PDB file of all heavy atoms in Angstrom:
ATOM      1  N   GLU O1200      31.810   1.170  -9.347  1.00 87.00           N
ATOM      2  CA  GLU O1200      30.828   1.956  -8.551  1.00 87.00           C
ATOM      3  C   GLU O1200      29.410   1.674  -9.006  1.00 87.00           C
ATOM      4  O   GLU O1200      28.524   1.516  -8.164  1.00 87.00           O
ATOM      5  CB  GLU O1200      31.141   3.454  -8.766  1.00 87.00           C
ATOM      6  CG  GLU O1200      32.313   4.009  -7.979  1.00 87.00           C
ATOM      7  CD  GLU O1200      32.716   5.436  -8.360  1.00 87.00           C
ATOM      8  OE1 GLU O1200      32.769   5.682  -9.575  1.00 87.00           O
ATOM      9  OE2 GLU O1200      32.925   6.219  -7.460  1.00 87.00           O
ATOM     10  N   GLN O1201      29.239   1.558 -10.303  1.00 90.00           N
ATOM     11  CA  GLN O1201      27.870   1.264 -10.846  1.00 90.00           C
ATOM     12  C   GLN O1201      27.374  -0.061 -10.329  1.00 90.00           C
ATOM     13  O   GLN O1201      26.224  -0.196  -9.929  1.00 90.00           O
ATOM     14  CB  GLN O1201      27.886   1.256 -12.355  1.00 90.00           C
ATOM     15  CG  GLN O1201      28.055   2.653 -12.995  1.00 90.00           C
ATOM     16  CD  GLN O1201      28.001   2.643 -14.506  1.00 90.00           C
ATOM     17  OE1 GLN O1201      28.390   1.634 -15.127  1.00 90.00           O
ATOM     18  NE2 GLN O1201      27.554   3.747 -15.060  1.00 90.00           N
ATOM     19  N   GLU O1202      28.264  -1.077 -10.325  1.00 89.00           N
ATOM     20  CA  GLU O1202      27.924  -2.425  -9.842  1.00 89.00           C
ATOM     21  C   GLU O1202      27.476  -2.368  -8.365  1.00 89.00           C
ATOM     22  O   GLU O1202      26.492  -2.958  -8.000  1.00 89.00           O
ATOM     23  CB  GLU O1202      29.132  -3.302  -9.969  1.00 89.00           C
ATOM     24  CG  GLU O1202      29.084  -4.469 -10.964  1.00 89.00           C
ATOM     25  CD  GLU O1202      27.770  -4.736 -11.647  1.00 89.00           C
ATOM     26  OE1 GLU O1202      26.936  -5.492 -11.042  1.00 89.00           O
ATOM     27  OE2 GLU O1202      27.539  -4.210 -12.744  1.00 89.00           O
ATOM     28  N   GLN O1203      28.238  -1.610  -7.586  1.00 87.00           N
ATOM     29  CA  GLN O1203      27.961  -1.505  -6.165  1.00 87.00           C
ATOM     30  C   GLN O1203      26.596  -0.834  -5.896  1.00 87.00           C
ATOM     31  O   GLN O1203      25.866  -1.295  -5.049  1.00 87.00           O
ATOM     32  CB  GLN O1203      29.086  -0.658  -5.506  1.00 87.00           C
ATOM     33  CG  GLN O1203      29.130  -0.796  -3.975  1.00 87.00           C
ATOM     34  CD  GLN O1203      29.922   0.365  -3.355  1.00 87.00           C
ATOM     35  OE1 GLN O1203      30.345   1.301  -4.039  1.00 87.00           O
ATOM     36  NE2 GLN O1203      30.140   0.279  -2.096  1.00 87.00           N
ATOM     37  N   LEU O1204      26.306   0.247  -6.683  1.00 90.00           N
ATOM     38  CA  LEU O1204      25.061   0.890  -6.512  1.00 90.00           C
ATOM     39  C   LEU O1204      23.876   0.074  -6.952  1.00 90.00           C
ATOM     40  O   LEU O1204      22.802   0.087  -6.380  1.00 90.00           O
ATOM     41  CB  LEU O1204      25.083   2.190  -7.328  1.00 90.00           C
ATOM     42  CG  LEU O1204      26.022   3.297  -6.822  1.00 90.00           C
ATOM     43  CD1 LEU O1204      26.245   4.348  -7.911  1.00 90.00           C
ATOM     44  CD2 LEU O1204      25.414   3.991  -5.604  1.00 90.00           C
ATOM     45  N   LYS O1205      24.082  -0.751  -7.976  1.00 90.00           N
ATOM     46  CA  LYS O1205      23.024  -1.529  -8.619  1.00 90.00           C
ATOM     47  C   LYS O1205      22.276  -2.405  -7.569  1.00 90.00           C
ATOM     48  O   LYS O1205      21.088  -2.492  -7.527  1.00 90.00           O
ATOM     49  CB  LYS O1205      23.583  -2.380  -9.759  1.00 90.00           C
ATOM     50  CG  LYS O1205      22.647  -2.492 -10.928  1.00 90.00           C
ATOM     51  CD  LYS O1205      23.230  -3.322 -12.016  1.00 90.00           C
ATOM     52  CE  LYS O1205      23.991  -2.465 -13.048  1.00 90.00           C
ATOM     53  NZ  LYS O1205      24.736  -3.260 -13.992  1.00 90.00           N
ATOM     54  N   GLY O1206      23.088  -3.074  -6.794  1.00 85.00           N
ATOM     55  CA  GLY O1206      22.487  -4.068  -5.857  1.00 85.00           C
ATOM     56  C   GLY O1206      22.191  -3.498  -4.500  1.00 85.00           C
ATOM     57  O   GLY O1206      21.864  -4.274  -3.617  1.00 85.00           O
ATOM     58  N   PHE O1207      22.313  -2.214  -4.316  1.00 94.00           N
ATOM     59  CA  PHE O1207      22.262  -1.686  -2.954  1.00 94.00           C
ATOM     60  C   PHE O1207      20.883  -1.407  -2.497  1.00 94.00           C
ATOM     61  O   PHE O1207      20.301  -0.337  -2.795  1.00 94.00           O
ATOM     62  CB  PHE O1207      23.124  -0.519  -2.746  1.00 94.00           C
ATOM     63  CG  PHE O1207      23.322  -0.184  -1.278  1.00 94.00           C
ATOM     64  CD1 PHE O1207      24.332  -0.819  -0.534  1.00 94.00           C
ATOM     65  CD2 PHE O1207      22.464   0.651  -0.606  1.00 94.00           C
ATOM     66  CE1 PHE O1207      24.535  -0.550   0.788  1.00 94.00           C
ATOM     67  CE2 PHE O1207      22.642   0.915   0.753  1.00 94.00           C
ATOM     68  CZ  PHE O1207      23.614   0.314   1.446  1.00 94.00           C
ATOM     69  N   LYS O1208      20.252  -2.299  -1.805  1.00 96.00           N
ATOM     70  CA  LYS O1208      18.887  -2.146  -1.240  1.00 96.00           C
ATOM     71  C   LYS O1208      18.967  -2.613   0.181  1.00 96.00           C
ATOM     72  O   LYS O1208      19.255  -3.765   0.501  1.00 96.00           O
ATOM     73  CB  LYS O1208      17.921  -2.955  -2.041  1.00 96.00           C
ATOM     74  CG  LYS O1208      16.500  -2.924  -1.519  1.00 96.00           C
ATOM     75  CD  LYS O1208      15.576  -3.788  -2.297  1.00 96.00           C
ATOM     76  CE  LYS O1208      14.174  -3.877  -1.608  1.00 96.00           C
ATOM     77  NZ  LYS O1208      13.244  -4.727  -2.369  1.00 96.00           N
ATOM     78  N   LYS O1209      18.649  -1.671   1.136  1.00 97.00           N
ATOM     79  CA  LYS O1209      18.820  -2.027   2.535  1.00 97.00           C
ATOM     80  C   LYS O1209      17.843  -1.323   3.457  1.00 97.00           C
ATOM     81  O   LYS O1209      17.478  -0.185   3.202  1.00 97.00           O
ATOM     82  CB  LYS O1209      20.238  -1.683   3.055  1.00 97.00           C
ATOM     83  CG  LYS O1209      21.064  -2.938   3.170  1.00 97.00           C
ATOM     84  CD  LYS O1209      22.401  -2.620   3.724  1.00 97.00           C
ATOM     85  CE  LYS O1209      23.249  -3.822   3.290  1.00 97.00           C
ATOM     86  NZ  LYS O1209      24.471  -3.987   3.631  1.00 97.00           N
ATOM     87  N   THR O1210      17.398  -2.025   4.502  1.00 98.00           N
ATOM     88  CA  THR O1210      16.575  -1.425   5.552  1.00 98.00           C
ATOM     89  C   THR O1210      17.421  -1.188   6.759  1.00 98.00           C
ATOM     90  O   THR O1210      18.109  -2.116   7.217  1.00 98.00           O
ATOM     91  CB  THR O1210      15.423  -2.410   5.906  1.00 98.00           C
ATOM     92  OG1 THR O1210      14.760  -2.749   4.690  1.00 98.00           O
ATOM     93  CG2 THR O1210      14.443  -1.768   6.833  1.00 98.00           C
ATOM     94  N   PHE O1211      17.424   0.003   7.262  1.00 98.00           N
ATOM     95  CA  PHE O1211      18.213   0.342   8.452  1.00 98.00           C
ATOM     96  C   PHE O1211      17.293   0.645   9.672  1.00 98.00           C
ATOM     97  O   PHE O1211      16.443   1.550   9.598  1.00 98.00           O
ATOM     98  CB  PHE O1211      19.032   1.577   8.158  1.00 98.00           C
ATOM     99  CG  PHE O1211      20.123   1.447   7.077  1.00 98.00           C
ATOM    100  CD1 PHE O1211      19.842   1.488   5.771  1.00 98.00           C
ATOM    101  CD2 PHE O1211      21.432   1.192   7.501  1.00 98.00           C
ATOM    102  CE1 PHE O1211      20.829   1.358   4.794  1.00 98.00           C
ATOM    103  CE2 PHE O1211      22.411   1.083   6.543  1.00 98.00           C
ATOM    104  CZ  PHE O1211      22.090   1.153   5.176  1.00 98.00           C
ATOM    105  N   ILE O1212      17.461  -0.212  10.670  1.00 98.00           N
ATOM    106  CA  ILE O1212      16.667  -0.007  11.863  1.00 98.00           C
ATOM    107  C   ILE O1212      17.577   0.370  13.029  1.00 98.00           C
ATOM    108  O   ILE O1212      18.658  -0.212  13.181  1.00 98.00           O
ATOM    109  CB  ILE O1212      15.830  -1.325  12.202  1.00 98.00           C
ATOM    110  CG1 ILE O1212      14.908  -1.623  11.034  1.00 98.00           C
ATOM    111  CG2 ILE O1212      15.092  -1.187  13.520  1.00 98.00           C
ATOM    112  CD1 ILE O1212      14.185  -2.965  11.158  1.00 98.00           C
ATOM    113  N   ASN O1213      17.139   1.313  13.816  1.00 98.00           N
ATOM    114  CA  ASN O1213      17.863   1.793  14.985  1.00 98.00           C
ATOM    115  C   ASN O1213      19.370   2.173  14.642  1.00 98.00           C
ATOM    116  O   ASN O1213      20.304   1.905  15.374  1.00 98.00           O
ATOM    117  CB  ASN O1213      17.917   0.739  16.096  1.00 98.00           C
ATOM    118  CG  ASN O1213      16.503   0.442  16.585  1.00 98.00           C
ATOM    119  OD1 ASN O1213      15.660   1.237  16.564  1.00 98.00           O
ATOM    120  ND2 ASN O1213      16.256  -0.791  17.011  1.00 98.00           N
ATOM    121  N   ALA O1214      19.525   2.810  13.549  1.00 98.00           N
ATOM    122  CA  ALA O1214      20.879   3.158  13.081  1.00 98.00           C
ATOM    123  C   ALA O1214      21.514   4.188  13.942  1.00 98.00           C
ATOM    124  O   ALA O1214      20.862   5.095  14.509  1.00 98.00           O
ATOM    125  CB  ALA O1214      20.801   3.646  11.615  1.00 98.00           C
TER     126      ALA O1214
END
Side-chain angles (χ1 to χ4, degrees):
E1200 283 171 315
Q1201 287 181 333
E1202 248 352 273
Q1203 194 198 7
L1204 290 163
K1205 217 180 269 172
F1207 195 87
K1208 176 183 171 179
K1209 255 183 200 183
T1210 308
F1211 293 82
I1212 298 172
N1213 300 328

